[in-house]
Amino acid sequence: MNYEQFFADKIADLKAEGRYRVFADLQRQAGKFPRAMFHNGEEIKEITVWCSNDYMGMGQNPNAIKAMQDIAGGYGVGAGGTRNISGTMHEHILLEDELADLHGTEAALLFQSGWIANLTALSTIGSMVPGCVIISDSKNHNSMIEGIRHSRAEKHIFRHNDLADLEAILKTIDPAKPKLIAFESVYSMDGDISPIGKICDLADTYNAMTFLDEVHAVGMYGQRGGGVAERDGVMDRITVIQGTLAKAFGVVGGYIAGSAAMCDFVRSYGSGFIFSTSMPPAVAAAARANVRHLKDHNELRVRHQERAATLRQRFREAGLPVMDADSHIVPLMVGDPVLCKQASDELMAKHDIYVQPINYPTVERGKERLRFTPTPFHDDALMDALVDAVKEVWTRLGLKAAA
């Protein structure tokens, strides 16, 4: 077999389908978010980023920048190993305490990313709880799916946010078997929100644990940024809350929060935790600064929700096919991978606007879209320029208007 030809052929397949991914070469500028410099060969130009998961602009928070600089100067730049072998730094302990306080839980446990947190926690619980059955929402993130697969536990998939289907599945499972319901709060591609309290009601009725992925909600919902579960007053009903430090908190890393026993169990048995080098202490310090900042600044969450609602309404008034949602995610449906990428390319080339095309496998085939994530820092002038640019590109490419 010609291995190199195989690799090249598979890449050619992606290009032929129109879903080959090209990464924008960006240079963020602290103090100027959401502006960034775009490098394209010899060309360098300033553009506006409309698709960042730095939802609250905390990547440029001066307090976090100073915390990272101070701790790097004091600790150095690395942690020195896994948490088990010389890699537990005091900054890790402080950040875990801060996250436990955010969620009102006994404990929290840090990971290198939210993806690893999901993979490790779900695979560890699912594989070690004897006879555990996992019931998973059909639109759960890849990291949750991989964690469930690695657990080798019996699994069932319920229709997205469908309480009747979830209960129908629960009724078929032996009442004596341990069960875990795995779902998200905000689903990042459609922007819809799960009925957390009602899922918890079913979990109580059928004696199931709950695993809630809040990565697209922590920092942005709730009076202190604890997520949709905090907003809805149900944080205390969740067995495992999983979150990220890479989105609203503007840094990198993931975590779980819950009882001390649960966190200690995953710490002690989860291979994704045991064998991974720990987070650099300076990164932990920056994340802690941003968690603390967002706890105390609910006005940023109010502004964030207003910006998202305003952009959705502006798109709707312009006759663009914006998807309805109750969250901060504002997707425009395209429905074709080639046209989706072409629209993205032309917004960048002609209007200095960056929004990444979302194609399969991130979304289903035929559901390709542009996904906009307005932040508190996208002002009216930037929004005016965006709406005018999108209208121009939509008309010129003959894309579908709103139904």
Side-chain angles (χ1 to χ4, degrees), residues 52-102:
S52 175
N53 282 346
D54 185 0
Y55 293 129
M56 306 297 277
M58 288 294 99
Q60 67 174 3
N61 181 13
N63 294 336
I65 294 170
K66 184 176 186 305
M68 182 175 282
Q69 292 170 337
D70 289 348
I71 296 300
Y75 279 70
V77 296
T82 66
R83 290 286 292 273
N84 293 291
I85 304 175
S86 80
T88 293
M89 302 287 106
H90 188 55
E91 285 297 326
H92 299 143
I93 306 302
L94 294 175
L95 178 53
E96 286 172 341
D97 289 345
E98 197 74 53
L99 291 166
D101 175 77
L102 174 68

Side-chain angles (χ1 to χ4, degrees), residues 9-76:
D9 288 345
K10 296 306 289 183
I11 293 299
D13 290 344
L14 288 178
K15 290 181 177 178
E17 290 182 44
R19 60 185 186 93
Y20 177 71
R21 299 180 185 221
V22 177
F23 298 151
D25 182 352
L26 303 180
Q27 179 183 344
R28 283 162 60 102
Q29 302 175 85
K32 296 187 71 175
F33 182 83
R35 307 290 285 176
M37 303 308 294
F38 172 57
H39 293 251
N40 184 23
E42 297 298 317
E43 178 192 15
I44 302 175
K45 65 176 182 177
E46 189 174 62
I47 55 95
T48 303
V49 178
W50 275 97
C51 56
S52 175
N53 282 346
D54 185 0
Y55 293 129
M56 306 297 277
M58 288 294 99
Q60 67 174 3
N61 181 13
N63 294 336
I65 294 170
K66 184 176 186 305
M68 182 175 282
Q69 292 170 337
D70 289 348
I71 296 300
Y75 279 70

Side-chain angles (χ1 to χ4, degrees), residues 168-180:
I169 291 170
L170 287 166
K171 286 179 176 179
T172 68
I173 300 170
D174 183 347
K177 283 190 173 183
K179 293 169 283 292
L180 184 149

Side-chain angles (χ1 to χ4, degrees), residues 279-339:
M279 175 187 291
V283 172
R288 182 163 65 95
N290 279 344
V291 173
R292 296 182 71 178
H293 185 87
L294 287 178
K295 283 180 181 178
D296 295 334
H297 289 278
N298 190 54
E299 75 279 1
L300 286 173
R301 281 181 283 281
V302 174
R303 167 75 172 172
H304 184 225
Q305 290 294 314
E306 179 274 323
R307 292 285 79 191
T310 297
L311 181 60
R312 184 174 284 106
Q313 182 60 29
R314 291 288 305 275
F315 280 159
R316 189 176 292 115
E317 291 170 353
L320 295 164
V322 63
M323 298 172 63
D324 287 328
D326 296 323
S327 74
H328 58 283
I329 307 294
V330 186
L332 282 182
M333 186 60 66
V334 178
D336 179 275
V338 175
L339 289 173

